[in-house]
Amino acid sequence: MKALEGLPLRGPESATTASSHRARLGQFFTPRALVERICAWAIRTPLDHVIDPTCGEGDFLLGAVGRLRGLGASKPVVHGVDVDLGVLTVARERAGPEALLRHADFLACDPYPFDAIVGNFPYVRQEALGPAYKEALRRVLAAHPAEDVEGLTGQADLYAYLFLHAERFLRPGGRMGVVVSNAWLDVDYGRALRRFFLRRFREVTVLESRREAWFDEPTINPVVLLLEKGPGPARARFVQVDCPLADVPPGRFDGPRTRVREVEVTEWDRWGIPLRAPQAFLDLARELEGRAVPLRGGLADVGRGVTPGVVDFFYVDRETAERHGIEPRYLVPVVRTLREARGVSVRREDLTRALFVCPDDPDHLASEGLGALRHILWGALQETKAQARGKLGGMPFPLVTSLRSRPLWYDVGPVDRADFLLNRFVGDRYLVPSPPEDATVGDVFFAGRFRDGVDRPLTLALLNSAVVFLWMEVLGRKTWRQGVLYFYGPEVDALRVPDPSRIDRPHRRRILAAFGALSRRDVGPFPDEVSLADRVEFDDAVLSAIGLDPSWRGRIYSALVDEIVLRTRILPGKAVR
């Protein structure tokens, strides 16, 4: 069986190229404790036939053989498939003759019934698949019922297709235990996958660790998905493990140090909330039902900040502006990072760069903008620098992909001002600052403009409350090894804010007075903020205004601090092999 076009097969290779090749194929080794516990759950009898569809170097093959032998199997039946001939050679040496291995792309294999499917599906983003491979995927999925693939857009990563194909290999009542990226839990393209799980499986369990990262690679943020095949509606369980996996009994994911929630969910729900949200958030959301409104589309118009393309050209420091003699009308102050926002009001003097904004053509500049033209001619001779993640340098600025499609490569287009900024990459410091009136905003932020009729000072204050910060922490995408909370478009759409129109004048005065005091100082990490008197007074004022007593503050602070500390300090596990 040959591989699908686009992910070519290959033979053994040198160690110097192996790591980059594995990264391209999304191969990451799985910790032994995780393998053993998944195999113990999925494999139930010594007669079970087991397959790992993307077996790599055989971590799950070893686990499956061990589990079957432990159940009394004299001749375990374990199959492994992989597109990579080099790792299959290693898997053969590790797993021995019990493992029946096939050199193929699993998505090109014809279905055959198995009792258990285990594995760690590749972490290959859809951008890396290529047009030819995507076309091959569409041909493979044509064999599936339309309701299974409806809504599975081109944004879906490789693992989505693997799940759909793997289900065809599983007997009724069979179990699938897979380590997979957590991205599908909350995003729009994951809706088709969530619907598929609820329709095709009678048990769906999503499991995540709160105490250790399972992989050393910081961009990999996995969950374990445990599925039992059978007609729905599915029973959905969400489990967070609050101890090292080595302390969890094999085959069981409940106990004194796990949090298990069994809830009714639909494909439209964000599954990350029942999985991760502290109880304080769930209770708070119920209290605010009908009294909180969407930020985007309700109170404000929110869009991503300016994406310049080449920051070395478009973000101009004072020295460069003076050296090139750039006219002031072509320079707009820009807020580039949260470090420039020391408090809830960004100070003009803290901005160290200006955005080069020039819609004029060279002929016009030759007579009225010599400084700007000098900067453009300098930029045309510069080349990009090599970056992390294998991005090569040496590309002339005007030929950079994001610039060469512009009528004038150096024209960023119209730039908007903003009333407030939402940080897209949240660490331990929470604030929603307002920029100077004459400044624009870089693309590390979402820029918001309040709609007509909205109480702007009050809404800005509410956006800086612990109530909203907890909402952001729960909605955001966690990256355990990096400690960063990603807050992207879908999270902005889901964000809710206490309705400012429901707050009476006395409460409004109290909130604004407390917020004014808070605005006169720098804002530090939130775990440090909770002990400051002005922060306490401000959040008490907000809670009182929305009809909640001060005891809520302790619950919100505790939940938010716990989540921040956990996110920024979680330790990596080791892939013991």
Side-chain angles (χ1 to χ4, degrees):
M1 181 72 68
K2 68 178 183 178
L4 294 180
E5 182 182 359
L7 283 182
L9 304 174
R10 58 123 191 167
E13 61 191 336
S14 69
T16 56
T17 60
S19 62
S20 61
H21 183 85
R22 287 170 183 160
R24 186 179 72 83
L25 294 182
Q27 298 170 346
F28 295 93
F29 302 116
T30 313
R32 181 184 299 167
L34 185 55
V35 171
E36 291 173 348
R37 280 144 185 82
I38 290 175
C39 288
W41 179 85
I43 304 168
R44 291 169 287 178
T45 79
L47 300 179
D48 280 357
H49 287 211
V50 184
I51 185 171
D52 181 348
T54 56
C55 66
E57 294 188 356
D59 293 337
F60 276 92
L61 299 180
L62 280 173
V65 169
R67 170 62 172 170
L68 288 167
R69 284 178 174 166
L71 290 170
S74 58
K75 294 182 179 180
V77 181
V78 177
H79 295 249
V81 180
D82 206 281
V83 71
D84 186 337
L85 182 59
V87 297
L88 280 176
T89 302
V90 178
R92 165 64 65 205
E93 295 173 353
R94 296 179 68 206
E98 289 90 349
L100 306 175
L101 304 182
R102 171 179 280 190
H103 180 206
D105 188 321
F106 176 69
L107 290 170
C109 295
D110 295 327
Y112 184 86
F114 287 88
D115 303 291
I117 298 174
V118 295
N120 181 353
F121 282 172
Y123 296 81
V124 180
R125 293 182 59 82
Q126 59 88 14
E127 296 90 343
L129 295 178
Y133 195 77
K134 287 185 177 181
E135 179 58 34
L137 289 177
R138 282 190 283 271
R139 292 197 300 270
V140 170
L141 294 183
H144 292 260
E147 62 268 20
D148 285 352
V149 299
E150 181 185 359
L152 193 65
T153 69
Q155 293 179 305
D157 295 339
L158 182 61
Y159 61 79
Y161 302 94
L162 288 168
F163 274 117
L164 266 68
H165 196 53
E167 183 269 341
R168 301 178 68 198
F169 287 70
L170 199 60
R171 298 182 194 273
R175 287 183 168 185
M176 187 187 315
V178 174
V179 185
V180 67
S181 166
N182 66 10
W184 60 275
L185 290 170
D186 297 311
V187 296
D188 287 344
Y189 73 75
R191 181 164 57 84
L193 203 54
R194 298 192 292 272
R195 181 182 67 246
F196 173 72
F197 294 148
L198 293 173
R199 181 175 292 164
R200 294 289 181 174
F201 297 92
R202 63 191 179 204
E203 288 193 19
V204 178
T205 297
V206 184
L207 180 141
E208 185 178 68
S209 174
R210 285 177 57 87
R211 289 298 169 187
E212 59 183 353
W214 293 328
F215 301 99
D216 291 332
E217 169 58 44
T219 61
I220 301 304
N221 297 285
V223 293
V224 173
L225 189 57
L226 306 174
L227 304 166
E228 183 172 299
K229 187 171 180 177
R235 182 181 68 169
R237 295 197 311 161
F238 299 90
V239 181
Q240 278 209 326
V241 180
D242 200 20
C243 64
L245 273 174
D247 296 340
V248 177
R252 298 192 59 181
F253 294 101
D254 54 5
R257 301 192 63 183
T258 60
R259 184 182 69 194
V260 181
R261 288 179 175 144
E262 187 168 330
V263 298
E264 291 186 7
V265 290
T266 72
E267 64 191 81
W268 298 96
D269 295 322
R270 299 172 63 91
W271 286 18
I273 290 179
L275 176 63
R276 303 190 187 103
Q279 191 61 43
F281 171 81
L282 300 179
D283 294 342
L284 179 64
R286 281 193 291 269
E287 289 287 339
L288 292 182
E289 189 171 355
R291 294 187 288 160
V293 294
L295 175 63
R296 176 143 73 180
L299 300 173
D301 296 311
V302 182
R304 189 166 166 177
V306 177
T307 302
V310 178
V311 297
D312 291 340
F313 174 78
F314 287 101
Y315 287 156
V316 181
D317 59 23
R318 186 172 302 168
E319 179 184 352
T320 301
E322 292 176 353
R323 184 172 68 251
H324 293 164
I326 303 174
E327 293 78 9
R329 66 180 177 275
Y330 296 117
L331 297 173
V332 178
V334 60
V335 186
R336 297 177 302 126
T337 74
L338 196 66
R339 289 189 296 272
E340 295 174 325
R342 297 167 58 184
V344 294
S345 295
V346 181
R347 295 184 292 227
R348 179 67 176 78
E349 58 268 25
D350 290 332
L351 303 183
T352 60
R353 296 287 193 277
L355 180 69
F356 182 70
V357 180
C358 180
D360 297 332
D361 61 46
D363 291 339
H364 178 84
L365 294 175
S367 60
E368 297 189 25
L370 287 177
L373 182 60
R374 191 177 297 114
H375 184 63
I376 293 167
L377 294 175
W378 167 84
L381 299 176
Q382 307 307 304
E383 296 181 343
T384 58
K385 301 174 184 177
Q387 301 178 29
R389 304 189 187 281
K391 291 186 178 180
L392 301 177
M395 177 70 69
F397 286 0
L399 298 182
V400 170
T401 302
S402 59
L403 305 187
R404 65 188 180 196
S405 60
R406 298 173 179 173
L408 298 171
W409 70 267
Y410 54 81
D411 181 12
V412 297
V415 295
D416 296 324
R417 306 306 194 261
D419 294 322
F420 64 88
L421 313 179
L422 290 175
N423 188 17
R424 295 173 57 220
F425 311 103
V426 182
D428 61 0
R429 188 166 168 257
Y430 264 108
L431 74 159
V432 179
S434 59
E437 291 184 359
D438 63 339
T440 190
V441 183
D443 62 356
V444 300
F445 298 102
F446 283 99
R449 295 280 294 186
F450 291 121
R451 290 186 164 184
D452 291 343
V454 172
D455 188 330
R456 300 185 178 202
L458 179 59
T459 307
L460 179 64
L462 294 173
L463 286 172
N464 281 278
S465 67
V467 169
V468 172
F469 293 164
L470 181 58
W471 215 289
M472 294 175 68
E473 181 70 28
V474 169
L475 293 176
R477 308 180 198 184
K478 291 180 170 60
T479 56
W480 295 118
R481 284 299 312 283
Q482 294 172 310
V484 176
L485 187 82
Y486 288 95
F487 208 75
Y488 290 164
E491 288 72 52
V492 175
D493 290 337
L495 183 61
R496 298 295 183 266
V497 181
D499 188 348
S501 68
R502 289 173 169 263
I503 295 177
D504 61 30
R505 290 185 179 181
H507 283 108
R508 180 182 187 276
R509 285 194 295 270
R510 182 185 174 189
I511 289 173
L512 294 182
F515 187 60
L518 190 65
S519 302
R520 288 191 286 271
R521 64 168 176 84
D522 294 351
V523 173
F526 193 81
D528 298 336
E529 287 279 314
V530 297
S531 62
L532 301 179
D534 54 358
R535 162 59 67 181
V536 170
E537 165 58 20
F538 169 62
D539 283 318
D540 280 351
V542 172
L543 290 171
S544 176
I546 60 178
L548 300 179
D549 65 67
S551 65
W552 274 94
R553 173 171 46 81
R555 294 188 65 194
I556 293 171
Y557 280 7
S558 178
L560 185 50
V561 169
D562 284 350
E563 293 297 313
I564 292 172
V565 170
L566 186 65
R567 166 166 56 83
T568 55
R569 297 183 185 177
I570 193 165
L571 299 175
K574 294 295 182 183
V576 180
R577 303 171 50 219

